[in-house]
Amino acid sequence: MAHFLLPVVLSLLTTVSLSLPATGTYWRSIRPNPFKFRSEKLTHFQFYWHDVQSGANPTSVNIFRQTPVNTSRPNGFGLVNMIDDPLTERPEINSKLIGRAQGMYGLASQEEIGLLMAMNFVFLTGRYNGSTLTVLGRNPVFQKVREMPVIGGSGLFRFARGYVHATTHNLNTTSGDAIVKYSVPINWPPRTTKTDIYRLLTKASSLND
């Protein structure tokens, strides 16, 4: 058994990452079972998504609209927008920038304002800088709370899973500009640390005795 574990330990040496602080202003990490080796982390993000369609520098632009417009479907069925929306710590757009939501959404319902959303949350600050979470789901805009799945991620969030709750903070029905509060709890496996490798080596050594 020890001979089997040693190659595994050696392979882990190439994926070592140092432990980092587990608190922040817009997220908190919880280790469900601190005594269980390599237990998943639960992190809860909260931030505000700004979809700006007006002005000289919109972050949401229309890339497809049915022409001529089908007046029998006044909800805009078929419309698609590409987005690069800022994610901020507070509802004010000039508050601290956490990241950006990059992707697209389209009106996918013939009966209501129901969006199909496909976007990446790209984090640009702190310990999660460069990591992403991917959201793909249905967003019935006028429901108070909408739930969509987090289907994966990259960087620190490889193999992440979870969901988002989206709640409209402000919607300008004239310009189309919207501010939406996102609550995002996710589970994700932490990367291997030096402590993990030491524990594996100790276990392998004990099996040799």
Side-chain angles (χ1 to χ4, degrees), residues 34-132:
F35 301 104
K36 183 179 179 182
F37 177 58
R38 298 281 292 153
S39 62
E40 289 189 333
K41 289 186 178 182
L42 169 64
T43 301
H44 191 168
F45 293 95
Q46 180 176 290
F47 44 73
Y48 291 83
W49 177 90
H50 298 263
D51 194 58
V52 181
Q53 299 187 28
S54 63
N57 187 30
T59 62
S60 175
V61 296
N62 179 248
I63 59 173
F64 180 80
R65 183 187 298 270
Q66 186 180 21
T67 53
V69 175
N70 187 342
T71 56
S72 67
R73 294 173 180 168
N75 65 347
F77 175 68
L79 179 147
V80 179
N81 273 32
M82 187 70 68
I83 64 171
D84 184 16
D85 289 343
L87 304 173
T88 62
E89 194 172 83
R90 299 183 58 79
E92 298 78 23
I93 197 168
N94 59 354
S95 62
K96 181 179 178 180
L97 181 71
I98 293 166
R100 305 196 74 87
Q102 298 174 336
M104 64 179 68
Y105 60 76
L107 285 158
S109 172
Q110 298 184 51
E111 306 299 331
E112 60 177 332
I113 307 298
L115 302 177
L116 168 65
M117 304 197 71
M119 60 183 173
N120 293 314
F121 292 147
V122 184
F123 294 94
L124 300 175
T125 186
R127 67 177 299 196
Y128 302 121
N129 184 18
S131 297
T132 69

